[in-house]
């Protein structure tokens, strides 16, 4: 709609603003599902217009596709993770050799772009000390996030509706507590 109406959209990399984040894992995952679902639904409903739009450059069309790529690859990441873990259980037992370790780390480096970008982001924001926590979080929380995004992606491309709800945030909870106390004082 913005593109059709000839609005120009720019990315300002140096703008910082305060915002509230979900404070529980459940609300974080549901928020990510909502974002992935909405983004993919918009793309599914408008991809023909995007590709045929003469106002968009090839670079802009590519960026629109790439912003959806995270949601598109989530089911594949999840399947690769599950099948990789099944290989440990169902594969033929054998001793680990140096070639196995080299193969593991070379594959990890080749496919670990998320970790490289995340580490770079932490470094550039002056939070290098947090990099050691980023890798374990990415290997655990990343799997849960891939699962949630996969559900949202599949629902979006099949046109199935999502159940919507308000994501609780810390500030919202504090405000609700204030109103509860206020109304209790009136009812007493």
């Amino acid at each position: 709609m913005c593109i059709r109406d000839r609005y120009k959209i720019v990315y300002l990399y140096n703008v910082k603003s305060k915002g509230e984040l979900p404070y529980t894992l459940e609300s974080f995952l549901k928020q990510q599902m909502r974002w992935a679902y909405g983004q993919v639904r918009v793309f599914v409903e408008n991809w023909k217009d995007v590709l045929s739009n003469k106002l968009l450059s090839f670079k802009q069309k590519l960026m629109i596709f790439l912003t959806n790529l995270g949601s598109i690859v989530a089911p594949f990441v999840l399947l690769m993770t599950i099948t990789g873990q099944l290989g440990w259980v169902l594969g033929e037992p054998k001793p680990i050799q140096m070639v196995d370790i080299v193969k593991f780390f070379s594959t990890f480096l080749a496919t670990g772009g998320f970790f490289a970008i995340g580490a770079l982001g932490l470094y550039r924001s002056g939070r290098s000390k947090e990099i050691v926590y980023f890798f374990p979080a990415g290997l655990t929380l990343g799997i849960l996030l891939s699962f949630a995004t996969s559900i949202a992606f599949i629902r979006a491309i099949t046109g199935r509706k999502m159940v919507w709800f308000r994501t609780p945030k810390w500030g919202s909870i504090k405000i609700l507590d204030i109103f509860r106390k206020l109304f209790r004082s009136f009812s007493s």
Side-chain angles (χ1 to χ4, degrees):
M1 189 163 135
C2 290
I3 296 166
R4 184 190 64 226
D5 295 338
R6 296 186 178 210
Y7 285 97
K8 185 174 182 175
I9 300 169
V10 295
Y11 172 71
L12 304 172
Y13 68 92
N14 57 350
V15 173
K16 293 182 180 181
S17 66
K18 290 185 178 184
E20 285 192 282
L21 301 172
Y23 66 95
T24 66
L25 177 61
E26 179 185 14
S27 59
F28 168 73
L29 292 173
K30 288 179 179 179
Q31 179 190 59
Q32 295 298 310
M33 286 177 71
R34 208 171 47 244
W35 288 355
Y37 178 87
Q39 183 176 348
V40 172
R41 275 308 310 153
V42 167
F43 185 74
V44 165
E45 292 172 7
N46 297 292
W47 71 271
K48 290 178 185 174
D49 294 334
V50 168
L51 292 178
S52 64
N53 191 322
K54 303 227 185 286
L55 297 174
L56 293 175
S57 68
F58 173 76
K59 185 178 175 182
Q60 290 170 314
K61 292 176 185 180
L62 180 63
M63 287 307 298
I64 291 170
F65 172 74
L66 291 176
T67 57
N68 282 281
L69 193 57
S71 300
I72 293 168
V73 300
F76 299 105
V77 169
L78 191 62
L79 284 172
M80 287 181 0
T81 302
I82 292 169
T83 57
Q85 297 305 317
L86 286 175
W88 287 92
V89 177
L90 302 175
E92 178 137 355
K94 64 177 187 170
I96 296 175
Q97 298 180 3
M98 184 53 95
V99 74
D100 297 324
I101 295 170
V102 170
K103 184 179 175 185
F104 170 79
F105 280 107
S106 62
T107 303
F108 187 79
L109 287 173
T111 58
F114 167 75
F115 289 110
I117 297 291
L120 179 64
L122 288 170
Y123 171 77
R124 289 182 67 189
S125 64
R127 297 167 44 198
S128 300
K129 292 180 181 178
E130 296 178 30
I131 291 173
V132 295
Y133 303 110
F134 176 68
F135 289 101
L139 293 172
T140 53
L141 196 59
I143 301 303
L144 293 173
L145 188 55
S146 291
F147 181 73
T149 305
S150 296
I151 292 170
F153 173 76
I154 291 167
R155 285 184 166 278
I157 63 169
T158 58
R160 294 173 52 206
K161 301 288 183 198
M162 291 280 291
V163 177
W164 300 112
F165 46 85
R166 185 181 60 80
T167 304
K169 309 237 173 59
W170 189 248
S172 304
I173 299 301
K174 287 181 181 177
I175 291 170
L176 283 173
D177 286 343
I178 291 169
F179 278 107
R180 283 186 189 118
K181 288 176 185 173
L182 182 66
F183 285 113
R184 278 191 208 132
S185 67
F186 285 125
S187 63
S188 317

